[in-house]
Amino acid sequence: MKNNQMPYFNFICLFLFVLVSSCSVTRDLKQKSAYTDTEIKQLRKCNTAKLSWYMVQNSKRIILLTNLIRVNPTLFKKYLHLQTDSGYIDKKYLNRKIEKRIAAKIPSKIKPIKPSFNLALAAKLHSIVSGLNGQTGHQKLALRMRITLNTNLCYGENCYYGNDYAYGAVVAWIESDGHYHNLLDPGYYRIGVSGFWHRRYKKNYVQVFSGKKWMDYIW
């Protein structure tokens, strides 16, 4: 009897984990006094990883921030200002880039990027190896893509080393031209994110992008 109940118990535990993780990311979207109804809808639309059980809260928030800077930089600026007290939005170089993005006409083909289990696995492999070895860089990216069955030839990667905050990682990528290009690349359609302890820098985040999967052409 006990063995028959185990699959149900495991399913319930997984369901609760997804629910709690989703709520932890979406609760900061519910400040209705701070956001308009249209902004709330846009935030929910950009929060594409909210049900991705294989990623933790900070990884999901990185995807939300990535989508905001891609499709609605004005809302990105507002969200960053409301959700942090670290003075990120007062950084001059960051502010200039955001304002330039706001002033630019964003191509209609740029959509919120969707999560991918395989890409998250590729990111996880690199974040763990980098953290344990204390290394930086994009070692063996092509090999990692093949190992995790990511066959799309359009792919890229951002790595961050520093504090544990999702905001810090995204801000650092925006301030770096090469990483910023990855964030905005209209050819990317899927994303995976992972964070892990780092021997030299305390924390590292890895963000892996790719073009469309075959199923994305169907729906």
Side-chain angles (χ1 to χ4, degrees):
M1 183 70 177
K2 184 177 180 180
N3 290 337
N4 291 337
Q5 290 177 344
M6 285 302 294
Y8 298 101
F9 176 76
N10 293 337
F11 174 78
I12 291 171
C13 289
L14 178 60
F15 175 77
L16 290 175
F17 173 79
V18 173
L19 182 64
V20 171
S21 182
S22 173
C23 290
S24 64
V25 175
T26 57
R27 66 188 174 199
D28 54 4
L29 309 185
K30 296 180 179 179
Q31 301 177 352
K32 293 189 180 297
S33 60
Y35 300 107
T36 66
D37 290 343
T38 301
E39 288 173 335
I40 288 288
K41 291 179 181 178
Q42 187 71 64
L43 284 166
R44 294 189 185 281
K45 184 178 180 181
C46 288
N47 195 24
T48 55
K50 64 181 179 181
L51 296 179
S52 299
W53 57 268
Y54 48 86
M55 284 190 281
V56 299
Q57 177 183 350
N58 269 359
S59 295
K60 294 178 180 182
R61 183 168 281 118
I62 283 175
I63 293 177
L64 169 62
L65 290 164
T66 298
N67 280 330
L68 286 175
I69 194 63
R70 282 171 68 91
V71 304
N72 195 328
T74 301
L75 186 54
F76 171 88
K77 182 177 181 179
K78 181 175 181 178
Y79 181 85
L80 192 66
H81 176 71
L82 290 173
Q83 299 300 328
T84 70
D85 56 1
S86 303
Y88 284 133
I89 211 62
D90 296 325
K91 299 175 74 171
K92 292 183 180 180
Y93 186 59
L94 171 68
N95 224 358
R96 283 201 301 270
K97 279 201 165 182
I98 294 175
E99 292 299 332
K100 185 177 180 179
R101 179 67 175 167
I102 291 173
K105 185 177 180 180
I106 299 175
S108 59
K109 64 180 179 179
I110 295 186
K111 305 293 183 184
I113 204 165
K114 297 180 179 181
S116 163
F117 175 80
N118 292 45
L119 291 175
L121 184 57
K124 175 63 71 178
L125 289 174
H126 193 48
S127 66
I128 292 174
V129 172
S130 295
L132 294 177
N133 292 334
Q135 68 188 32
T136 62
H138 306 276
Q139 293 84 354
K140 296 181 173 62
L141 173 57
L143 176 61
R144 284 186 279 116
M145 295 296 281
R146 291 196 296 271
I147 290 174
T148 53
L149 304 180
N150 290 292
T151 57
N152 196 297
L153 296 179
C154 175
Y155 58 82
E157 181 177 73
N158 285 342
C159 297
Y160 166 80
Y161 314 93
N163 62 45
D164 190 35
Y165 301 109
Y167 313 102
V170 177
V171 165
W173 289 330
I174 291 175
E175 291 183 317
S176 167
D177 291 341
H179 296 90
Y180 189 45
H181 179 270
N182 279 340
L183 292 178
L184 304 184
D185 194 323
Y188 292 147
Y189 197 81
R190 290 280 180 171
I191 187 173
V193 179
S194 175
F196 192 74
W197 168 85
H198 196 278
R199 196 172 72 186
R200 290 169 56 196
Y201 296 99
K202 295 184 179 180
K203 187 76 176 187
N204 80 107
Y205 283 108
V206 178
Q207 184 182 49
V208 183
F209 305 87
S210 82
K212 288 185 176 183
K213 295 184 174 183
W214 64 267
M215 65 181 67
D216 296 323
Y217 292 98
I218 300 175
W219 65 81

